[in-house]
Amino acid sequence: MKKMTSFSIFFILSLLSLSLASQISITIINNGEKLEPQTNWRSHDEVMGLYESWLVEHGKTYDSIGEKSKRFEIFKDNLRYIDDQNSIANSTYKLGLNKFADLTLDEYVSMYLGTRPAAVESEERISDQYLPSATDTLPISFDWRQKGAVTPVRNQGRCGSCWAFSTVSSVEAINAIVTGDLVSLSEQELVDCDTSNKGCNGGNMERAFNYKAVVGINGYKRVPANNEQALQNAVVHQVVSVGIDASSRTFQLYKSGIYTGDCGKSINHAVNVVGYGVENGVDYWIVRNSWGTNWGENGYVRMQRNVQDTAGLCAIAKWVTYPTKTASKSPLPLRTKGIVRILPQQQTCYQGNSPCSSS
């Protein structure tokens, strides 16, 4: 009887210990990474296989085994986040293992975001040209890519020069619209020579539009802030430069679909709006980025349009600017003395080999 009692007590204590250990394990996971237990997720071998394939796809190499291991842990954490976000029911967009999958959010922000919004030079810069009116009849969808006014997506590399890429894209487009000729231009002169901006350390499109070598345009104007209808009207007439808040993890890892993710209003990235549309009842902007074709939808992101916030999703309607041009203006902007056409397009951050002319 005593042996039976001792065994029963031992058995009960064992069960209690296992239960307590299980609770402690779950608590550590929840309070730490806030992720599901490993047994409910991908195996180590599967994640490592995805990592090795991703390294090959994106041509990634690291200086040391330690760095590769560190990047693997970041990659794994981003993959967990991607799986978690993609499991949300009825989401209109998907995340994926894009070129930024081995970066923390802080690293991504510091390396790739570089727009610095400008104060309005004068009230004359704010134009009512594209303010909506009762007589406006705008198409349901519109896309300047289909009208031959947009060059292929480029890659700014690890350089905070998004402002230069946005400027050049808008200038290329207005030249094409006015002259009928789409001339591909380089951002290098702006990055290297426009001293009003900071090259790879940031800048803004309005100062770039004012740069003396941008001889193909008359100047620039702003669309009144916080008005998505005015932005839509502007886009029907030309490609525009906009500033957005791209500092969210969902934007970093965006893959496809209509982006509706959480983001703020602190403008830190410059892009172009080249059109708009609607899919399954969701209105969207067609946004051209400068991170190459292996990010998003071949370098583009569709962002939700006509949201409740007047600034638009990620503040897309907060700072909208565009170059102005008459037919008499030269179709070849961004020229300096002795340079007929700016250097051929590059696919990396521009440093050295400056086209700047000192005379």
Side-chain angles (χ1 to χ4, degrees), residues 31-32 35 60 106 126 133 149 178 270 288 311 322 332:
N31 290 343
L35 299 170
K60 292 272 188 173
D106 288 343
I126 302 177
S133 67
V178 173
R288 182 183 190 268
Y322 59 93
L332 295 176

Side-chain angles (χ1 to χ4, degrees), residues 270-313:
V271 291
N272 298 92
V273 180
V274 304
Y276 60 86
V278 58
E279 181 178 272
N280 297 324
V282 181
D283 296 337
Y284 62 83
W285 299 110
I286 304 171
V287 178
R288 182 183 190 268
N289 207 343
S290 54
W291 292 339
T293 56
N294 57 358
W295 179 89
E297 296 182 330
N298 296 314
Y300 286 83
V301 52
R302 286 181 293 160
M303 298 177 63
Q304 187 179 14
R305 177 169 59 96
N306 294 331
V307 300
Q308 185 174 3
D309 192 325
T310 57
L313 184 69

